Amino acid sequence: LKQPTRQEFTVSHLDESAFKGGALRDYAVYRDLGIARATHGLATAHVIRMVAPFTEALGRQHHHNVEFQLIYVLKGWFKNEFEGHGVHLMQAGSCWIQPPEIRHTVLGWSDDCELLEIIFPAEHETVTDA
């Protein structure tokens, strides 16, 4: 049997100062929930808060080299187009899984949009399609 990844207990309480920019996207701030550290890289989880209005230039088709990716809309709405699955408007309470390497394009978000994202593994590559 494969040895399970060592995990540690962790708790993350809401702290507005925990939202940081300069990460993956300059139009969003991220609140790291401490999952990557607690799982020694097995997974990561963060809250994504959109802080800039959507523009068409941001809607480039891309995919993520991951094993698992789940997104849950906490506030507002988020709109995507998924290769082979069409356009979906996700609203507060909507949840979806993006299978490994599924190509998708962001089409828009509300000014108050917040997402919870859980990804395996913590370190992964995002590839913008040509």
Side-chain angles (χ1 to χ4, degrees), residues 12-15 18-20 29-33 45-48:
S12 178
H13 296 286
L14 179 59
D15 175 359
F19 283 91
K20 306 290 182 198
V29 292
Y30 292 76
R31 177 179 153 222
D32 179 9
L33 300 178
H46 46 257
V47 176
I48 306 168

Side-chain angles (χ1 to χ4, degrees), residues 97-108:
I97 289 178
Q98 291 179 186
E101 300 183 15
I102 188 171
R103 286 166 173 70
H104 55 285
T105 305
V106 175
L107 300 176

Side-chain angles (χ1 to χ4, degrees), residues 29-118:
V29 292
Y30 292 76
R31 177 179 153 222
D32 179 9
L33 300 178
I35 305 305
R37 181 183 39 75
T39 64
H40 300 271
L42 174 69
T44 191
H46 46 257
V47 176
I48 306 168
R49 182 180 286 167
M50 302 309 182
V51 293
F54 178 79
T55 64
E56 285 188 31
L58 300 174
R60 299 186 61 196
Q61 186 180 56
H62 65 283
H63 66 276
H64 309 281
N65 292 332
V66 298
E67 294 178 36
F68 176 84
Q69 183 177 16
L70 177 142
I71 302 97
Y72 181 89
V73 181
L74 297 166
K75 291 183 188 176
W77 59 266
F78 195 83
K79 189 175 183 180
N80 276 311
E81 181 171 11
F82 299 95
E83 184 176 61
H85 299 279
V87 174
H88 292 268
L89 176 64
M90 310 297 188
Q91 300 180 38
S94 297
C95 179
W96 72 98
I97 289 178
Q98 291 179 186
E101 300 183 15
I102 188 171
R103 286 166 173 70
H104 55 285
T105 305
V106 175
L107 300 176
W109 57 72
S110 62
D111 291 341
D112 62 343
C113 184
E114 278 191 16
L115 309 169
L116 169 66
E117 183 174 52
I118 301 168

Side-chain angles (χ1 to χ4, degrees), residues 7-28:
Q7 298 178 33
E8 300 172 17
F9 179 79
T10 190
V11 174
S12 178
H13 296 286
L14 179 59
D15 175 359
E16 289 297 323
S17 70
F19 283 91
K20 306 290 182 198
L24 301 172
R25 299 163 185 95
D26 58 3
Y27 51 83

